[in-house]
Amino acid sequence: QVQLVESGGGLVQAGGSLRLSCAASGSIFSINAMAWYRQAPGKQRELVATITEPDSTNYADSVKGRFTISRDNAKNTVYLQMNNLKPEDTAVYYCNAGIRSKFYTSYGSYWGQGTQVTVSS
């Protein structure tokens, strides 16, 4: 009923930039917080950045000053602008959102399929 679709991942050289997008679609009543997570092979999933409604952002220490999270409520889309990328940023990046369906009272947690970001040294 509700889906998150991510795009924008790819291969980039160290110091380069990428912008990830995640669009929510389906029977959406409202969206609360949206977030980006990442998971490298053999490592646990970690929180990268969050953005709430109204807009308020938080970042992991490892990406502060380099990444920017933003959202376009009209498009139900969250973005992650990644600048000055480092090899240690290599991971699968996942979009997450707290979404209330039109047909249910409470919010549920939804995940995107993940998009690969690879940063070469």
Side-chain angles (χ1 to χ4, degrees), residues 41-90:
K43 298 182 179 179
Q44 67 180 156
R45 188 172 300 181
E46 66 173 335
L47 179 63
V48 176
T50 61
I51 184 165
T52 61
E53 180 66 39
D55 290 356
S56 180
T57 59
N58 285 283
Y59 299 91
D61 289 341
S62 60
V63 305
K64 285 182 178 178
R66 299 188 298 119
F67 291 10
T68 302
I69 188 171
S70 61
R71 64 193 293 174
D72 185 337
N73 292 335
K75 298 181 179 180
N76 290 329
T77 299
V78 62
Y79 304 93
L80 185 67
Q81 178 66 46
M82 305 184 294
N83 297 325
N84 192 25
L85 284 161
K86 303 176 180 180
E88 49 264 44
D89 295 319
T90 296

